[in-house]
């Protein structure tokens, strides 16, 4: 069946609110860890991961860092306006936008938008001994989102510093609570580096520095990619079939040395989290596009959501696709691939890069549950039933699993 015809109602289960982990455990690595290996299910604790991974595994981590993307302004009337940063538009590069010291434009979601038709919103904050005024203005609508411009005085203050002062870390809406100071630490992976996400790649929240060191000591290889997680990751599927659901677009960045490493370890790659899966699998389709059009512009390597299903790509091997990216970067004298993906991974998808993945337990009727089903088939029912019967904690701050079909 083409994924467009999948009925999302077939991918649901009963998730009582008390099974949703509202806060993380005190010790990240003490969470429960379900293992699904060739159909056999058992569980241990996460700190025992080294004894559960296949020998010669390469673990691929998403090193994105969550930004304080939620900003609250108040109009003179007292109306509370929430501006939620989605992605940079001008400058469009994340790092350049965060370094800007005067003005930036971002794609945003606006809460209580009907109370803010026009005009500037302002708020003030202290930076060292300066009082700085931040101004926000609405420019235009972009689908369900809005284009917003932000400007501020204090020419030495970067936009990264502005949102660190004014913004709030956006925790998932299903936690049904306010962000707390502790979330600034617990809702970041210990290896997060590159600012840009509005949600954490939560499978990685279970790793500690000690556990990463143990992986190294025991000979497991590690690599890092970057996918900035968008707010669309929480967007429920509202259509009856997947044909009516538009996948969100996310920024992807992968270094040349990592792509070379991936090519050498095909057959042994374990993705840490669904965002790593989406990034790695997108690389295959980008490589195929380069094979077909060697002079393609990098921005045009964007992977559309139905690309994996609308073409027969069986003639292109995974190794050939990755080598095509390496050669492409060499021709352009570049050290990394930077593009975007809208890929949807659903039942009938053929995996090209990963062997398995580490992932948390996802919401009913979500695209993330479709991804799990694409990997383990109908066994996802058994996996989730086992987790429910064995008191696993669900969603972002919950327990995790290793899925090896």
């Amino acid at each position: 069946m083409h994924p467009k015809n999948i009925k999302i109602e077939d991918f649901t289960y009963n998730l009582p609110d008390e099974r949703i982990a509202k806060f993380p455990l005190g010790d990240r690595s003490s969470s429960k860890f379900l293992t699904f290996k060739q159909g056999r299910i058992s569980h241990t604790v996460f700190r025992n991961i080294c004894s559960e991974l296949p020998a010669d595994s390469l673990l691929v981590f998403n090193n994105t860092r969550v930004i304080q993307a939620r900003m609250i302004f108040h109009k003179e009337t007292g109306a509370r306006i929430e501006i939620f940063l989605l992605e940079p538009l001008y400058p469009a590069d994340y790092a350049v936008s965060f370094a800007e010291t005067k003005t930036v434009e971002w794609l945003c979601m606006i809460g209580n938008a009907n109370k803010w038709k026009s005009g500037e919103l302002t708020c003030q904050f202290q930076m060292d001994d300066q009082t700085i005024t931040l101004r926000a203005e609405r420019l235009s609508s972009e689908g369900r989102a809005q284009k917003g411009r932000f400007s501020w005085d204090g020419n030495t203050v970067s936009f990264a510093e502005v949102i660190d002062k004014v913004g709030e870390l956006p925790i998932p809406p299903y936690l049904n609570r306010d962000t707390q100071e502790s979330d600034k630490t617990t809702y970041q992976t210990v290896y997060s580096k590159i600012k840009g996400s509005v949600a954490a790649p939560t499978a990685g929240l279970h790793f500690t520095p000690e556990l990463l060191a143990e992986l190294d000591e025991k000979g497991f290889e590690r690599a890092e990619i970057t996918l900035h997680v968008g707010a669309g990751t929480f967007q429920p599927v509202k259509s009856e079939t997947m044909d009516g659901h538009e996948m969100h677009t996310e920024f992807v960045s992968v270094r040349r040395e990592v792509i070379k490493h991936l090519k050498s370890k095909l057959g042994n790659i374990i993705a840490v989290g669904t965002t790593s899966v989406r990034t790695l699998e997108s690389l295959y389709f980008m490589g195929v596009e380069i094979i077909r059009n060697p002079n393609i512009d990098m921005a045009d390597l964007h992977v559309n959501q139905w690309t994996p299903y609308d073409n027969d790509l069986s003639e292109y091997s995974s190794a050939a696709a990755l080598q095509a990216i390496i050669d492409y970067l060499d021709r352009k004298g570049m050290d990394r691939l930077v593009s975007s993906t809208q890929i949807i991974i659903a039942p009938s998808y053929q995996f090209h890069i990963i062997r398995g993945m580490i992932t948390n337990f996802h919401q009913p009727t979500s695209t993330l549950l479709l991804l799990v089903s694409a990997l383990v088939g109908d066994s996802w029912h058994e996996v989730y039933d086992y987790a429910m019967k064995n008191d696993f904690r669900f969603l972002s701050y919950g327990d995790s699993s290793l899925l090896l079909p």
Side-chain angles (χ1 to χ4, degrees), residues 197-216:
S197 279
V198 300
T202 55
L205 294 179
H206 306 276
F207 287 90
T208 62
E210 295 77 15
L211 204 45
L212 294 174
E214 185 182 344
L215 285 167
D216 295 342

Side-chain angles (χ1 to χ4, degrees), residues 34 64 68-69 123 231 246 262:
L34 180 150
T64 189
Q68 301 200 172
C123 73
E246 183 180 357
L262 294 171

